[in-house]
Amino acid sequence: MKVQRQIPQNAYHADDSFLGRYQKLIKQEVIPYQYQVLCDQAEGAEKSHVVANFINAGKALRGENPGDGFYGMVFQDSDAAKWLEAVAYSLTIFPDQELETTADQLIELIAQAQDTDGYLNTRFTIKDRDKRWTNLLEGHELYCAGHMMEAACAYYEATGKDRLLKVMQKNAEHIYHIFIEEKKEGYPGHPEVELALMRMYHLTGDRHCLELAEHFLNIRGIDRNFFKNEQKKRNWEVWGMDAGDLYYNQSFAPVREQKDAVGHAVRAVYLYTAMADLASETEDEELQKACRRLWESITRRRMYLTGGIGSTGIGEAFTEDYDLPGDTAYCETCASIGLMFFASRMLEQDVRGEYADVMERAFYNTVLAGMQLDGKRFFYVNPLECIPGISGKAVTHSHDLTERPKWYACACCPPNTARLISSIGKYAYGENGQTAYCHLFAGGEASFENGMKLSCKTSYPYGFTVLYTITAGNGQLAVHIPSWSSQYRILVNGSDAKYTLQDGYVYLSVKENDTVSITLDDTPYTMYASSRVPQLSGYAAVCRGPLVYCFEGADNDQDVLSLSLKRGGSLTAEPFDKDLLNGTVRITAEAVRRETTEELYTSALPAMTPCTAVAIPYYTWCNRGENQMRVWMNEIN
Amino acid sequence: MKVQRQIPQNAYHADDSFLGRYQKLIKQEVIPYQYQVLCDQAEGAEKSHVVANFINAGKALRGENPGDGFYGMVFQDSDAAKWLEAVAYSLTIFPDQELETTADQLIELIAQAQDTDGYLNTRFTIKDRDKRWTNLLEGHELYCAGHMMEAACAYYEATGKDRLLKVMQKNAEHIYHIFIEEKKEGYPGHPEVELALMRMYHLTGDRHCLELAEHFLNIRGIDRNFFKNEQKKRNWEVWGMDAGDLYYNQSFAPVREQKDAVGHAVRAVYLYTAMADLASETEDEELQKACRRLWESITRRRMYLTGGIGSTGIGEAFTEDYDLPGDTAYCETCASIGLMFFASRMLEQDVRGEYADVMERAFYNTVLAGMQLDGKRFFYVNPLECIPGISGKAVTHSHDLTERPKWYACACCPPNTARLISSIGKYAYGENGQTAYCHLFAGGEASFENGMKLSCKTSYPYGFTVLYTITAGNGQLAVHIPSWSSQYRILVNGSDAKYTLQDGYVYLSVKENDTVSITLDDTPYTMYASSRVPQLSGYAAVCRGPLVYCFEGADNDQDVLSLSLKRGGSLTAEPFDKDLLNGTVRITAEAVRRETTEELYTSALPAMTPCTAVAIPYYTWCNRGENQMRVWMNEIN
């Protein structure tokens, strides 16, 4: 049983504060641009061919010549799914008949690409129909199905239109038939369909979806030779993945026995999200314990300060406990989005501040950093240090680019960012009976099934007062107090409030017209890593509120490497500058600059000159061209 | 024209001081153990099959059944060559009839494995004779020939026996026939034969060897498509190396145009060594300039403090300027040996202290660290930081082992170390006419072709007085003053001496019975890296004399990560402890220990407790089991 659950998408409407402006950016820039990409009309971007793939698949099914065939990654279809999901969310916020018509047309193309038995995947419809379901390791058929199920749920919830939902119900039934009724062995090489089937189940109540999700989770890692045997049975491959690398795709052990977060980080958190959702749905204590163990493995030993995960580009993967190099980090945008999914589902099991803390950390830092401030370029990889000349250039740093590209051949991150930002309300607010939960501070209006409505006014993450007004109903308001705010003040109707504090949430009884004001600590602060992290011993990072800051060359004479922060030195938040980086607050820090020597090594104590170092929020980095960037700074007395 | 040149191997005899004890260790432990390995009689070591390969090749040539065929790397023959070379050197120091007989027998096997046309390589004699010279990219035929030529020269010089030299003269003539007379295209994928042909030329005066070395150097990188075209012409491969990766094997440009040290570090320095040797031999100014540029590229921007080179395990290669990560370093033992070769040849062009400094840095740190103190185990990779739990375990650190293995499938480093240590006199002393050069402090007796003889007494690198006695002849003595010694005192016959100082060398006129005493600075000192090295900003390393020190868990409560050195704090050399790590001097440093937090991240300023940190010489690390090790330490006021 879930102790609370996400509110529906249409129960939150942002205002024009920080999150609302991001949603508008997605609507105005990202969604149209990404549609151009899907249609191969975006100049200078990698070829996508996604729409053409659906058209060609439809032709193939009708026995027509499938035009220029299939192009792209084996999971190319998922770009359309994620775009549609983002559109669905966006339509609930910004109704747009033209966009809806465009989406309907794409959905029609998708529907026409569905085979009569319910199968849907352009890669194995345009060609290689005999290869369907023969390469679960690499084929991404279940992955693509999962994303399209998510899009179908979202589009139905947003518009009431069930065209895509019916397509995906039929598709789910097809998968059920294959894997349950026909007892086909195996489970997906890339988890995603499990969490999507849970969403389908939540929306439709179809127990086949629940059963199928549970099936895929239950059999994962039981037959450790499944992928190897599957590989032996076929004479083709996608990339030639190592079927014996069971850690990469989390099939090294049954999910309930897994202890450490390992392998491909996106696969991992998508899997854990489904596990957490199922565990609270079915009250599966063993599964809940596994989720909690994996959560602790990530957040206590394998997560970057920015909420990034994946310490290496080799396999886009977790490595070992406390191995968190900044310059060669992977920290894929999608992985932090998936970490938010996981956190949000964990919150449904147990309302604990740490889950909301991690959601906030991942969102305001890695997820937002994944997109240029103008919404036009995207990072896939989000390192905590960037040194032009080495980053993006040395073979060990080739994945750590120094500038955001426009689009990627493997374009999972940009549409993932679009759907996450457009649906932020589901992560920000939750509900259970009389209680309305505020996990993240999200300005706008939220309504709850118990009849409560509230408005939230805040200029967070730059303003630190959040004002809730109960505009309808009454009940309990539960608000997460971020762990970084050691001090806070809560006023109800202007007076100090009575509240209880439990596990990082304050609980207050409220009634219509009540105002609840929460003021958090706006003092910039320094963060330290445990000395168990070899790469961070002696380093410090500057933060304010949920924002991790970084030092860029652009603000620091093009040289951040020779800067050291003064230990315990003053940190000063400058006034909000609406013209800087779409509006931001810089922090100045007492620092010293070490003399840069020509010699590679010297025995001369390098002179240190006191100076002021300037930091900007990490999410705003690399918006002024290629330059040095560093989050963790050496510290000196 | 060389301004000075290496003395012959038999012109130096070590005493029982530091270097002499290492030579004895090679004689007593390494040479016998390695012979067992070559004969597959060493328990617990990787299979070698080297001797069997020669036996089987001989059988194949005689039309007999070649037994169990060929086994091992394509360059397996070179292990025998390097062992023979080490034996040759060792025999000049420690005459040993039994060992010499063993070597003679191996040489006989090698001679019998030579084809009638002079070809010598067991891999392409036991099998695949039609594949000879068809894969210069990967086949290592010229590489193996080069090592055997070096062995032949060394063995002739040591014993006067010319059996192997004649074999290799015939082999060189065969190669000359193929590549010069028959004009076969191409150059070696792994440089080595070039420097070996120069050695053959120095010894025999055979101008075909000079011509051939010059030919291979001159055509390298001219036809940038050579390896690709070669690949197209054959239907087999060794590993499937990328023939288009011209940086890996330094064929991206003609050698005279190369600017940065790139690619596989061992290949690079072997190539540069031959270039330097040829340049001074032929007074090729353009080539000299190229050598100087490449030297500066390495030593000013791409070399570790330990004299290690190769910043990544991916391709065992150089990366980019100032990219010098400690924990993921490659720093192959062979690469530092090759760097000493290069430095020694550069010294023949121009007597400058920096060349001797780098030889010393590479030798006393990386080369010696490559071998366990008992001579029984070897590192291939020499990182500057080792963290059990991450090192050797994380995919990014898989090459950085936490303990020395006994032997390797690719066993280039152990025999390379053996031959280097056994021939250290050639690097330590040089000569030209009236001048005797002392590049490294090497206790023992050295004689020069001008009739001068000297004895050198020192307990360097732990004692800092070096006493030379001129035991015969007279002339000029040129002694390198290491750059780390800012202060030094020179006495001739007990009185302050008259000398000139030029480019890091002191020059004194000496005559028979003179004593020259040089006292260097024995104060421990701290080294800093340029702030251009991202990984080292705010870090400091402790050194004394030529020795870089490191901090091991074994001396520091099993936790070096939470230690920071006090900036400008005192460093104290403890008395020499003959029982510690084969006899060493520990350095204690004023330090602080940071509180280790359970939390991965905390905003609480970590408490710091003053403490004393204990350092040992880097070359002695990992002789007390697996534990943490760190060279560069965070520094705090």
Side-chain angles (χ1 to χ4, degrees):
Chain A
M1 205 188 71
K2 292 184 190 290
V3 296
Q4 58 92 33
R5 54 179 76 228
Q6 295 178 348
I7 60 167
Q9 168 66 16
N10 55 16
Y12 167 68
H13 292 273
D15 58 18
D16 64 352
S17 57
F18 190 83
L19 294 180
R21 289 199 305 274
Y22 259 100
Q23 291 191 331
K24 191 179 261 179
L25 184 68
I26 298 296
K27 155 72 181 163
Q28 291 180 338
E29 288 292 336
V30 183
I31 288 176
Y33 178 72
Q34 294 189 354
Y35 188 69
Q36 285 186 336
V37 172
L38 299 183
C39 299
D40 294 313
Q41 291 164 355
E43 268 179 46
E46 289 270 353
K47 182 175 168 184
S48 160
H49 210 256
V50 166
V51 172
N53 286 340
F54 283 105
I55 293 171
N56 293 346
K59 287 180 182 169
L61 287 175
R62 294 189 298 273
E64 300 166 18
N65 181 340
D68 59 352
F70 177 86
Y71 173 87
M73 295 281 179
V74 71
F75 46 77
Q76 208 79 348
D77 289 2
S78 66
D79 289 351
K82 280 189 271 188
W83 181 80
L84 275 175
E85 192 182 341
V87 167
Y89 299 141
S90 186
L91 288 173
T92 68
I93 311 164
F94 310 103
D96 178 335
Q97 194 50 56
E98 192 183 332
L99 177 61
E100 192 169 330
T101 302
T102 302
D104 287 340
Q105 288 165 349
L106 177 56
I107 287 169
E108 197 50 41
L109 294 176
I110 293 167
Q112 289 176 26
Q114 184 171 39
D115 216 335
T116 47
D117 62 0
Y119 184 88
L120 174 65
N121 186 300
T122 69
R123 169 68 183 75
F124 298 98
T125 295
I126 294 172
K127 59 179 178 179
D128 298 332
R129 291 176 64 169
D130 57 322
K131 290 179 181 158
R132 289 177 181 180
W133 307 124
T134 61
N135 189 345
L136 298 187
L137 178 68
E138 304 177 306
H140 282 74
E141 290 160 285
L142 291 168
Y143 172 87
C144 289
H147 274 300
M148 202 59 84
M149 288 177 199
E150 290 204 86
C153 293
Y155 203 73
Y156 174 75
E157 289 179 313
T159 64
K161 293 177 180 172
D162 65 1
R163 179 76 167 126
L164 189 58
L165 183 62
K166 286 194 165 159
V167 165
M168 294 319 294
Q169 285 180 298
K170 184 174 175 182
N171 180 254
E173 203 50 42
H174 172 68
I175 296 170
Y176 185 87
H177 175 70
I178 299 281
F179 287 90
I180 304 291
E181 292 169 356
E182 293 197 338
K183 300 189 194 305
K184 174 169 173 50
E185 277 189 296
Y187 40 86
H190 194 317
E192 154 65 23
V193 77
E194 302 89 339
L195 72 84
L197 286 163
M198 290 301 298
R199 280 189 72 172
M200 291 281 280
Y201 167 67
H202 294 319
L203 179 67
T204 66
D206 179 354
R207 295 197 65 87
H208 277 189
C209 288
L210 178 66
E211 195 185 329
L212 201 45
E214 199 162 8
H215 168 76
F216 283 135
L217 291 173
N218 283 348
I219 64 168
R220 188 171 206 87
I222 300 278
D223 176 5
R224 290 165 49 96
N225 289 314
F226 166 68
F227 288 125
K228 271 196 220 168
N229 290 334
E230 184 197 60
Q231 196 170 46
K232 281 182 202 151
K233 287 180 198 155
R234 63 180 142 79
N235 59 357
W236 65 282
E237 57 189 28
V238 178
W239 301 278
M241 274 185 185
D242 177 5
D245 184 356
L246 306 182
Y247 289 92
Y248 176 75
N249 57 28
Q250 299 83 35
S251 65
F252 61 100
V255 295
R256 287 173 185 76
E257 295 171 18
Q258 298 193 13
K259 290 189 176 63
D260 294 316
V262 299
H264 187 261
V266 174
R267 282 172 168 76
V269 285
Y270 281 18
L271 175 66
Y272 308 156
T273 299
M275 286 164 62
D277 197 354
L278 180 70
S280 54
E281 192 66 36
T282 59
E283 298 182 44
D284 182 330
E285 277 185 33
E286 206 186 339
L287 194 55
Q288 277 175 338
K289 277 185 194 163
C291 290
R292 180 66 199 173
R293 269 199 315 271
L294 293 163
W295 173 265
E296 290 184 0
S297 171
I298 294 176
T299 61
R300 300 192 175 183
R301 296 183 293 279
R302 299 185 175 203
M303 181 182 74
Y304 286 85
L305 185 64
T306 51
I309 51 175
S311 298
T312 177
I314 304 170
E316 309 178 325
F318 291 104
T319 56
E320 300 293 332
D321 286 348
Y322 306 113
D323 178 37
L324 296 161
D327 58 338
T328 57
Y330 204 69
C331 292
E332 185 177 338
T333 310
C334 285
S336 287
I337 291 171
L339 182 58
M340 291 181 68
F341 298 163
F342 183 29
S344 180
R345 294 303 180 191
M346 289 300 281
L347 267 175
E348 293 183 331
Q349 281 181 20
D350 193 4
V351 179
R352 290 166 79 145
E354 65 179 290
Y355 300 125
D357 282 333
V358 168
M359 271 206 303
E360 187 175 64
R361 184 178 293 288
F363 179 75
Y364 280 105
N365 300 292
T366 301
V367 176
L368 291 187
M371 185 167 67
Q372 194 160 284
L373 289 173
D374 62 6
K376 290 181 174 167
R377 287 171 171 269
F378 300 87
F379 273 135
Y380 194 101
V381 170
N382 298 281
L384 279 75
E385 176 167 314
C386 174
I387 308 299
I390 297 176
S391 297
K393 209 173 165 199
V395 63
T396 42
H397 294 64
S398 56
H399 55 288
D400 291 295
L401 305 184
T402 56
E403 293 201 272
R404 291 178 185 81
K406 278 193 170 178
W407 196 255
Y408 291 84
C410 171
C412 53
C413 297
N416 226 348
T417 304
R419 69 176 179 140
L420 188 279
I421 289 174
S422 300
S423 62
I424 193 68
K426 296 203 289 178
Y427 304 90
Y429 293 99
E431 60 190 343
N432 185 28
Q434 281 309 296
T435 308
Y437 289 89
C438 305
H439 305 301
L440 303 175
F441 302 114
E445 314 283 327
S447 53
F448 302 86
E449 60 185 3
N450 66 7
M452 271 178 73
K453 290 187 182 188
L454 61 77
S455 87
C456 171
K457 291 230 168 290
T458 184
S459 53
Y460 197 81
Y462 291 111
F464 288 80
T465 293
V466 184
L467 182 67
Y468 295 101
T469 303
I470 310 303
T471 54
N474 59 65
Q476 186 172 236
L477 187 67
V479 184
H480 171 235
I481 303 297
S483 65
W484 51 259
S485 191
S486 51
Q487 297 176 24
Y488 53 94
R489 191 173 181 195
I490 302 176
L491 301 176
V492 175
N493 302 325
S495 305
D496 279 328
K498 280 185 195 158
Y499 60 85
T500 56
L501 174 69
Q502 192 182 336
D503 291 337
Y505 281 74
V506 289
Y507 292 81
L508 310 99
S509 289
V510 292
K511 58 185 188 305
E512 191 167 336
N513 295 324
D514 275 358
T515 58
V516 177
S517 151
I518 299 179
T519 302
L520 302 164
D521 192 346
D522 66 355
T523 316
Y525 56 96
T526 309
M527 289 294 279
Y528 299 90
S530 169
S531 66
R532 289 179 182 141
V533 182
Q535 295 93 350
L536 298 181
S537 60
Y539 281 77
V542 171
C543 304
R544 183 171 180 247
L547 302 178
V548 173
Y549 274 66
C550 68
F551 294 79
E552 260 201 325
D555 303 299
N556 295 286
D557 299 329
Q558 301 303 332
D559 173 13
V560 300
L561 298 183
S562 67
L563 287 176
S564 293
L565 300 185
K566 287 281 280 182
R567 180 174 157 97
S570 69
L571 300 173
T572 308
E574 294 190 348
F576 183 81
D577 181 347
K578 69 179 174 48
D579 299 320
L580 180 68
L581 297 164
N582 273 14
T584 196
V585 167
R586 307 201 309 176
I587 294 176
T588 55
E590 269 190 278
V592 296
R593 191 177 280 288
R594 290 160 197 270
E595 184 188 7
T596 301
T597 56
E598 271 306 309
E599 298 83 22
L600 183 53
Y601 303 111
T602 175
S603 59
L605 199 67
M608 299 201 296
T609 311
C611 69
T612 299
V614 176
I616 57 168
Y618 174 74
Y619 80 87
T620 68
W621 85 278
C622 196
N623 276 279
R624 294 170 295 182
E626 181 181 279
N627 70 144
Q628 292 183 358
M629 183 279 292
R630 175 168 262 191
V631 169
W632 288 101
M633 301 288 282
N634 176 255
E635 205 186 42
I636 194 86
N637 278 19
Chain B
M1 203 189 69
K2 294 183 189 290
V3 296
Q4 59 92 33
R5 53 180 76 227
Q6 296 178 346
I7 61 167
Q9 169 66 15
N10 54 16
Y12 167 69
H13 292 272
D15 57 20
D16 64 353
S17 58
F18 189 83
L19 295 180
R21 289 198 307 274
Y22 259 100
Q23 291 191 331
K24 192 178 261 180
L25 183 69
I26 298 296
K27 155 73 180 162
Q28 291 181 337
E29 288 292 336
V30 183
I31 287 175
Y33 178 73
Q34 295 190 354
Y35 188 68
Q36 285 186 334
V37 171
L38 299 183
C39 298
D40 293 313
Q41 291 165 353
E43 270 179 44
E46 290 269 355
K47 181 176 168 184
S48 161
H49 209 256
V50 166
V51 172
N53 287 340
F54 282 105
I55 293 172
N56 293 346
K59 289 179 181 171
L61 287 174
R62 293 188 299 272
E64 300 167 19
N65 182 340
D68 59 352
F70 178 86
Y71 172 88
M73 295 282 182
V74 72
F75 46 78
Q76 207 79 347
D77 289 2
S78 66
D79 289 351
K82 280 189 271 189
W83 180 80
L84 275 175
E85 191 181 342
V87 167
Y89 298 142
S90 185
L91 288 174
T92 67
I93 309 164
F94 309 103
D96 177 336
Q97 194 50 56
E98 191 183 330
L99 177 63
E100 191 169 329
T101 303
T102 302
D104 287 340
Q105 287 165 348
L106 177 57
I107 287 169
E108 195 52 41
L109 293 176
I110 293 168
Q112 288 176 27
Q114 184 170 39
D115 215 335
T116 47
D117 62 359
Y119 184 87
L120 174 65
N121 186 298
T122 68
R123 167 67 183 76
F124 298 98
T125 295
I126 295 172
K127 58 179 181 180
D128 298 332
R129 292 176 63 169
D130 57 322
K131 291 179 180 159
R132 290 177 180 181
W133 306 125
T134 61
N135 189 347
L136 298 188
L137 178 67
E138 303 176 305
H140 282 73
E141 289 160 286
L142 290 168
Y143 172 87
C144 288
H147 275 300
M148 203 60 83
M149 288 177 198
E150 290 204 86
C153 294
Y155 204 74
Y156 174 77
E157 290 179 310
T159 65
K161 294 177 181 171
D162 66 0
R163 178 77 166 124
L164 188 59
L165 182 63
K166 285 193 165 159
V167 165
M168 294 318 295
Q169 284 180 298
K170 183 174 176 184
N171 180 253
E173 203 50 42
H174 172 67
I175 295 171
Y176 185 87
H177 175 70
I178 298 282
F179 288 89
I180 304 292
E181 291 169 356
E182 292 196 338
K183 299 190 195 302
K184 176 171 172 49
E185 276 189 298
Y187 40 88
H190 195 318
E192 153 65 24
V193 77
E194 302 88 339
L195 73 83
L197 286 162
M198 290 303 297
R199 279 189 74 172
M200 292 279 281
Y201 168 67
H202 294 318
L203 178 67
T204 67
D206 179 354
R207 293 196 66 87
H208 276 188
C209 289
L210 178 67
E211 194 183 332
L212 200 46
E214 197 162 10
H215 168 75
F216 285 135
L217 292 173
N218 283 348
I219 64 168
R220 189 170 205 87
I222 300 278
D223 175 4
R224 290 166 48 97
N225 290 314
F226 166 69
F227 287 125
K228 273 196 220 167
N229 290 335
E230 183 197 59
Q231 196 170 45
K232 282 183 201 148
K233 286 181 199 155
R234 64 180 140 81
N235 59 357
W236 65 282
E237 57 190 28
V238 178
W239 303 277
M241 272 184 186
D242 177 5
D245 185 356
L246 307 182
Y247 290 93
Y248 175 75
N249 57 28
Q250 300 84 35
S251 65
F252 61 98
V255 296
R256 287 173 184 75
E257 295 170 19
Q258 298 192 14
K259 291 190 175 63
D260 294 316
V262 298
H264 187 260
V266 174
R267 281 172 167 78
V269 285
Y270 281 18
L271 176 67
Y272 308 156
T273 298
M275 286 163 61
D277 196 354
L278 180 70
S280 54
E281 192 64 38
T282 60
E283 297 181 46
D284 182 330
E285 276 186 34
E286 207 186 338
L287 194 56
Q288 277 176 336
K289 278 186 194 162
C291 291
R292 181 66 199 173
R293 270 199 313 271
L294 293 164
W295 173 266
E296 291 184 0
S297 171
I298 294 177
T299 61
R300 301 192 175 184
R301 296 183 294 279
R302 301 185 174 204
M303 181 183 72
Y304 286 86
L305 184 64
T306 51
I309 51 175
S311 298
T312 178
I314 303 170
E316 309 178 322
F318 290 104
T319 57
E320 300 292 332
D321 286 348
Y322 306 113
D323 178 38
L324 296 162
D327 58 339
T328 57
Y330 204 68
C331 292
E332 185 176 338
T333 311
C334 285
S336 286
I337 291 171
L339 181 58
M340 290 181 67
F341 297 164
F342 183 28
S344 180
R345 293 302 180 193
M346 290 300 281
L347 268 174
E348 293 183 332
Q349 280 182 22
D350 192 5
V351 179
R352 290 167 79 144
E354 63 178 294
Y355 302 125
D357 283 331
V358 167
M359 271 206 301
E360 187 174 64
R361 183 178 293 287
F363 179 74
Y364 281 105
N365 299 292
T366 301
V367 175
L368 290 187
M371 184 167 67
Q372 195 162 283
L373 290 172
D374 63 7
K376 290 181 175 168
R377 287 171 171 267
F378 300 87
F379 273 135
Y380 196 102
V381 170
N382 298 282
L384 279 75
E385 176 167 313
C386 174
I387 309 298
I390 296 175
S391 297
K393 210 173 164 197
V395 62
T396 41
H397 294 64
S398 56
H399 54 288
D400 291 294
L401 304 184
T402 55
E403 294 199 272
R404 292 176 185 82
K406 279 191 169 178
W407 196 257
Y408 292 83
C410 172
C412 54
C413 297
N416 225 349
T417 304
R419 68 176 179 140
L420 188 280
I421 290 175
S422 301
S423 62
I424 193 69
K426 295 203 290 179
Y427 304 89
Y429 293 97
E431 60 191 343
N432 185 27
Q434 282 310 296
T435 308
Y437 290 88
C438 305
H439 305 301
L440 303 175
F441 302 113
E445 315 283 327
S447 54
F448 303 86
E449 60 185 3
N450 65 8
M452 272 177 72
K453 291 186 182 191
L454 59 79
S455 88
C456 171
K457 292 232 168 286
T458 183
S459 52
Y460 198 81
Y462 291 112
F464 289 79
T465 294
V466 184
L467 182 67
Y468 295 101
T469 303
I470 309 303
T471 53
N474 59 66
Q476 184 172 235
L477 188 66
V479 184
H480 171 235
I481 303 297
S483 64
W484 51 260
S485 192
S486 51
Q487 297 175 24
Y488 53 93
R489 190 170 182 200
I490 301 176
L491 302 176
V492 175
N493 302 325
S495 306
D496 279 326
K498 279 187 197 160
Y499 60 85
T500 58
L501 174 69
Q502 192 182 336
D503 292 335
Y505 281 73
V506 290
Y507 292 81
L508 309 98
S509 290
V510 290
K511 58 184 187 310
E512 192 167 336
N513 294 323
D514 275 356
T515 60
V516 177
S517 151
I518 299 179
T519 302
L520 302 164
D521 192 346
D522 66 355
T523 316
Y525 56 97
T526 309
M527 288 294 279
Y528 299 90
S530 169
S531 66
R532 290 180 181 141
V533 182
Q535 294 94 348
L536 298 181
S537 61
Y539 281 77
V542 171
C543 303
R544 182 169 179 249
L547 301 179
V548 174
Y549 274 65
C550 69
F551 295 79
E552 259 200 326
D555 302 300
N556 294 284
D557 298 329
Q558 300 302 333
D559 174 15
V560 299
L561 298 182
S562 68
L563 289 176
S564 294
L565 300 185
K566 287 279 283 183
R567 181 174 156 96
S570 69
L571 300 173
T572 308
E574 294 189 348
F576 183 81
D577 180 348
K578 70 180 174 47
D579 298 320
L580 180 68
L581 296 164
N582 274 13
T584 194
V585 167
R586 307 200 312 175
I587 293 176
T588 57
E590 268 191 278
V592 296
R593 190 177 281 287
R594 291 161 196 269
E595 184 188 9
T596 300
T597 56
E598 271 305 310
E599 298 82 23
L600 183 54
Y601 303 110
T602 176
S603 59
L605 199 67
M608 298 200 298
T609 312
C611 69
T612 299
V614 176
I616 57 168
Y618 174 75
Y619 81 86
T620 69
W621 86 277
C622 197
N623 276 280
R624 293 170 297 181
E626 181 181 279
N627 71 145
Q628 293 182 358
M629 183 279 290
R630 176 169 259 190
V631 169
W632 288 101
M633 302 288 282
N634 176 257
E635 205 186 42
I636 194 85
N637 276 18

